[in-house]
Amino acid sequence: MTKQTRFRIDTRTPFTELERIQRERLLLILIYTVFGLTLLLAIPYGAIAIFQSAWQGVLVNVLQVLMLVINWLAYRLARRGELERAGYILFPYLLFIVGVNGLMADAVHVIAPAYISIIVTAGIILGPTGNLFSTIIAFALWLAAVIIAETGILPPAPLPDYFSLGSLLGLTGLSFIFIAILNHGTTTRLQRTLTDANYKLVEANRQLEEASNLKSQFVARMSHELRTPLNAIGLSADLAIRKVYGPVTAKQEDALNLIMGSSKRLQALIDDILDISRIEAGKLKLAERSVPVRYMAATVKSTLEPNAREKGLEFSVTVAPNMPSHVLSDEGRLTQILTNLAQNAIKFTERGEVCVLIEPVENTQWRMLVRDTGRGIHEKDLDLIFEDFRQADTLSTSTADGTGLGLAITRHLVQNMKGQIHLTSQIGTGSTFEVILPLKVTNEAPGST
């Protein structure tokens, strides 16, 4: 027989745990208070049973002893975390014994305020179900007490007038004291619990921040350590291809080209990981300098045109005639944004063209548009496409290699430049990425003083 494993999802939250702790402590306060009141009332009712020889006093004393037993059972259940069972045992009997004591003291009218405090407490501890349950029982007992008092079926205990008045004042005062103790105890313990939770949250945030800093340091150190051997591998392969070390056969040249391509891909991957780490740590800095727009566009075109030509795609980079010749920005990051978007478009376009357009927008902004005739992206994936390490489901094919960091880094770079990035796409038609940046025009050539 195959044993099936059942998985249970824990939906509890820290606030749920705080609420459970509060209800448990509240129930324990109630149990302690009832225990004290039971012992306190045992003295006068014991005296009644001894000196008055009334059967009512004997009945109340028996009920008081049973109250201690019920109280002890509820305490054991509460300590085991079975709050509901403890409450459903304690509250009905508590309502019953309060009603009996009110009848014995000839103080039926004081039962109602005592019942109200018990119902409120039951609602806090047991929730809406417990509130409704205790309300129904309280109403039934109150109705029975009124009928008994009016018909005289159960006569009150033969007590002096001053004792009845004292019992009335005592029950009323104890109800008020009980509510005050209840409020003070729960408020104090809830504040203490919230303070502890806040301390733990601050400590957890400190540990997370420390872990994030250590991760950033590790990534930066590893990136540096990985770059050194990669540069050596790429340089050695390049020298071998140029036949610096001697003649190279066709198969050896293919292997060297593979080594060169793989080292460049690893270098790009390391750069992406380092960039995302700097962005998360808030250490990405932009160096604003005069950027020659047309030279930047030509660089991107010469870099990516071989990839497009290899796939049989038309690739164009156009700068509008009215676009300023120089803008004030970070040239390296601008090139990275444009390269990431154009390279991504080439990767996911099988036929047709990829077009890049750089143009001004009014007098305060300029934009870079990257259009392709690729497969397009589903509307449900438009938000996922810019998340770290995520690629849309429609892109999950054999050609969708990479880590999914390129567009995430692009979005962060655009945001750091106080710009916006938008994506529109249609399945089977293509996609358009639009990057809008603030326009800061400068006539200063790069490197001039």
Side-chain angles (χ1 to χ4, degrees):
M1 296 179 62
T2 303
K3 184 177 181 180
Q4 295 182 350
T5 303
R6 294 184 179 180
F7 295 95
R8 182 175 297 175
I9 299 176
D10 188 0
T11 58
R12 292 177 300 176
T13 65
F15 295 101
T16 304
E17 185 65 17
L18 288 176
E19 191 262 345
R20 188 197 65 79
I21 294 174
Q22 178 192 8
R23 292 191 296 120
E24 180 180 348
R25 290 179 173 175
L26 179 58
L27 182 59
L28 290 175
I29 291 174
L30 175 63
I31 291 173
Y32 297 147
T33 306
V34 170
F35 179 76
L37 291 176
T38 303
L39 292 181
L40 183 63
L41 293 174
I43 298 175
Y45 284 120
I48 293 173
I50 295 174
F51 296 105
Q52 297 290 340
S53 299
W55 64 269
Q56 295 95 331
V58 176
L59 173 63
V60 171
N61 278 283
V62 172
L63 294 176
Q64 295 286 92
V65 173
L66 186 57
M67 181 75 255
L68 293 177
V69 176
I70 296 292
N71 207 47
W72 175 83
L73 180 59
Y75 173 81
R76 294 294 301 272
L77 291 173
R79 279 302 186 186
R80 290 201 309 233
E82 301 180 28
L83 302 182
E84 286 73 17
R85 291 184 61 186
Y88 284 117
I89 290 176
L90 179 63
F91 284 113
Y93 191 80
L94 190 58
L95 290 168
F96 173 73
I97 198 169
V98 167
V100 172
N101 277 273
L103 284 173
M104 292 299 101
D106 197 16
V108 179
H109 49 283
V110 85
I111 297 176
Y115 275 8
I116 291 174
S117 63
I118 295 174
I119 292 172
V120 171
T121 307
I124 296 174
I125 295 176
L126 301 179
T129 304
N131 190 17
L132 179 62
F133 174 75
S134 58
T135 301
I136 293 174
I137 293 180
F139 177 76
L141 292 176
W142 163 253
L143 186 61
V146 171
I147 294 174
I148 291 173
E150 292 295 329
T151 58
I153 298 175
L154 182 65
L159 301 175
D161 293 339
Y162 67 85
F163 194 88
S164 297
L165 179 61
S167 299
L168 172 62
L169 296 176
L171 284 173
T172 306
L174 287 175
S175 298
F176 293 154
I177 293 173
F178 170 71
I179 294 175
I181 293 175
L182 192 66
N183 179 66
H184 173 75
T186 53
T187 303
T188 302
R189 284 166 174 78
L190 180 59
Q191 289 177 347
R192 186 181 305 167
T193 304
L194 291 175
T195 302
D196 294 342
N198 185 59
Y199 171 78
K200 292 178 181 179
L201 181 60
V202 171
E203 181 66 17
N205 286 335
R206 185 191 65 79
Q207 293 177 359
L208 288 174
E209 184 177 357
E210 182 180 355
S212 178
N213 292 334
L214 290 175
K215 185 198 72 172
S216 299
Q217 295 175 10
F218 171 78
V219 170
R221 187 174 304 166
M222 288 302 298
S223 299
H224 174 73
E225 295 297 331
L226 289 173
R227 277 196 180 100
T228 302
L230 277 177
N231 289 334
I233 292 172
L235 179 60
S236 299
D238 182 57
L239 292 175
I241 291 174
R242 296 180 184 183
K243 301 180 182 180
V244 174
Y245 304 120
V248 178
T249 65
K251 289 185 178 181
Q252 290 173 338
E253 187 173 353
D254 291 340
L256 291 171
N257 285 326
L258 179 60
I259 293 173
M260 284 284 293
S262 299
S263 64
K264 288 180 180 179
R265 289 182 61 188
L266 285 174
Q267 183 71 44
L269 175 60
I270 292 172
D271 290 340
D272 285 347
I273 294 176
L274 184 58
D275 281 342
I276 204 70
S277 177
R278 287 172 178 169
I279 290 170
E280 289 177 352
K283 296 181 179 180
L284 182 67
K285 297 181 180 179
L286 301 175
E288 285 195 344
R289 294 189 180 91
S290 181
V291 180
V293 179
R294 287 169 177 79
Y295 176 79
M296 178 190 69
T299 301
V300 172
K301 182 178 180 180
S302 62
T303 301
L304 299 180
E305 194 169 27
N307 296 339
R309 190 183 303 115
E310 184 179 351
K311 296 186 66 175
L313 303 175
E314 294 184 10
F315 181 66
S316 63
V317 180
T318 304
V319 180
N322 59 338
M323 180 68 194
S325 60
H326 292 80
V327 295
L328 190 64
S329 187
D330 190 315
E331 183 175 359
R333 296 304 181 181
L334 282 179
T335 303
Q336 184 178 3
I337 291 172
L338 191 55
T339 301
N340 281 348
L341 294 177
Q343 192 172 37
N344 187 76
I346 293 172
K347 182 188 300 183
F348 299 109
T349 302
E350 301 300 330
R351 62 179 63 88
E353 62 180 0
V354 174
C355 302
V356 178
L357 174 63
I358 301 175
E359 62 180 0
V361 181
E362 299 179 349
N363 296 324
T364 58
Q365 294 176 323
W366 65 290
R367 67 180 178 180
M368 296 183 288
L369 288 174
V370 179
R371 295 191 183 95
D372 64 64
T373 56
R375 70 196 68 173
I377 304 171
H378 283 294
E379 184 178 356
K380 65 182 180 66
D381 294 324
L382 294 181
D383 293 332
L384 297 178
I385 203 72
F386 291 106
E387 293 184 5
D388 299 349
F389 302 102
R390 293 291 297 270
Q391 291 181 337
D393 294 339
T394 54
L395 305 181
S396 300
T397 65
S398 58
T399 60
D401 53 358
T403 61
L405 288 175
L407 292 179
I409 293 173
T410 299
R411 182 193 62 177
H412 287 299
L413 290 176
V414 171
Q415 290 175 347
N416 286 345
M417 292 180 174
K418 310 300 181 185
Q420 299 176 352
I421 184 169
H422 305 286
L423 168 62
T424 57
S425 185
Q426 187 175 355
I427 296 297
T429 301
S431 305
T432 300
F433 287 87
E434 180 185 30
V435 175
I436 300 177
L437 296 171
L439 180 60
K440 300 178 182 178
V441 180
T442 176
N443 295 323
E444 180 182 352
S448 63
T449 57

